[in-house]
Amino acid sequence: AQKVTQAQTEISVVEKEDVTLDCVYETRDTTYYLFWYKQPPSGELVFLIRRNSFDEQNEISGRYSWNFQKSTSSFNFTITASQVVDSAVYFCALSEASGFKTIFGAGTRLFVKA
Amino acid sequence: GAVVSQHPSRVICKSGTSVKIECRSLDFQATTMFWYRQFPKQSLMLMATSNEGSKATYEQGVEKDKFLINHASLTLSTLTVTSAHPEDSSFYICSARKAVSSYEQYFGPGTRLTVT
């Protein structure tokens, strides 16, 4: 069975600090996709990144970076020089090749204070 | 692009009435649509998977007679909450997948349902 664990329920940082959001997943499939989504107070999900299980390259997009490590089943997300606009709930999610369903972690609520 | 819309964005209804929520893929054909429910400060929970022209597949614990899903065309899926009760108040989000083999899901903006 697939599972996504985001152990950090809430994180509070001061603007310009770096922050890392943890994500640990479980799956029996060898082919799967991992995602990160941002959910601002409006509620609409914003897609941030997708990574397939065969691509362990880390990725950087502006202030965002992702560290995918299959050995530890982790897909962590780092925001560099955080800003108030980064305040939101961030979800890590997993889709297995066998079912195409997407399972979400519990989410991490990030507060960035000015 | 790949845009998914939901209508209405917010709805308030009285207990015992039924509410229909529409999910539309505006610029692509969606072979599969998914319905999620999100309670306050909780994660998204998959309710059902809807394939065009066939019956929806419901997740364990979701009452199919209460949450009626219809996917009549490749661009429209509807979720009807029948005989709604206050505990059905939630944020309902749909997503759509472009092709059978695609892992990419495009999410709608969500519908906030309040049952009084």
Side-chain angles (χ1 to χ4, degrees), chain A residues 10 31 33 35 37 39 41-45 47 50 91 95-102 104-107 109, chain B residues 4 34 36 38 40-46 49 59 91 93 97 100-105 107-110 112:
Chain A
E10 289 187 1
T31 303
Y33 282 82
F35 305 83
Y37 291 91
Q39 188 177 43
S42 65
E44 187 163 357
L45 282 176
F47 167 80
R50 179 187 69 180
F91 291 100
S95 280
E96 291 176 331
S98 56
F100 291 100
K101 292 191 298 187
T102 300
F104 285 79
R109 188 174 297 271
Chain B
V4 176
F34 302 88
Y36 294 83
Q38 185 182 28
K41 296 194 175 183
Q42 293 190 25
S43 186
L44 283 74
M45 300 302 297
L46 181 65
T49 302
E59 294 300 301
F91 193 52
I93 305 173
R97 202 172 75 199
V100 174
S101 61
S102 172
Y103 289 90
E104 206 67 66
Q105 282 187 58
F107 285 85
R112 194 164 300 283

Side-chain angles (χ1 to χ4, degrees), chain B residues 30-72:
Chain B
T31 56
T32 306
M33 287 182 170
F34 302 88
W35 286 97
Y36 294 83
R37 180 168 53 182
Q38 185 182 28
F39 291 111
K41 296 194 175 183
Q42 293 190 25
S43 186
L44 283 74
M45 300 302 297
L46 181 65
M47 298 175 67
T49 302
S50 164
N51 292 298
E52 186 266 337
S54 62
K55 288 185 179 179
T57 302
Y58 291 82
E59 294 300 301
Q60 195 171 10
V62 178
E63 300 173 58
K64 61 181 180 182
D65 294 331
K66 180 170 185 62
F67 298 100
L68 301 179
I69 292 173
N70 184 286
H71 193 162

Side-chain angles (χ1 to χ4, degrees), chain B residues 68-83:
Chain B
L68 301 179
I69 292 173
N70 184 286
H71 193 162
S73 77
L74 285 171
T75 58
L76 174 65
S77 176
T78 59
L79 167 67
T80 301
V81 183
T82 61
S83 188

Side-chain angles (χ1 to χ4, degrees), chain A residues 21-82:
Chain A
L21 309 182
D22 298 333
C23 173
V24 175
Y25 62 93
E26 293 177 29
T27 177
R28 293 178 185 169
D29 278 21
T30 55
T31 303
Y32 52 89
Y33 282 82
L34 295 163
F35 305 83
W36 275 96
Y37 291 91
K38 174 182 180 180
Q39 188 177 43
S42 65
E44 187 163 357
L45 282 176
V46 178
F47 167 80
L48 296 177
I49 191 172
R50 179 187 69 180
R51 177 62 84 229
N52 74 54
S53 53
F54 299 108
D55 180 3
E56 285 194 73
Q57 264 194 330
N58 291 329
E59 182 159 337
I60 298 175
S61 177
R63 297 185 296 108
Y64 295 168
S65 62
W66 291 269
N67 185 320
F68 177 28
Q69 294 198 356
K70 285 179 75 171
S71 60
T72 56
S73 296
S74 65
F75 186 43
N76 297 336
F77 171 33
T78 298
I79 302 175
T80 304
S82 60

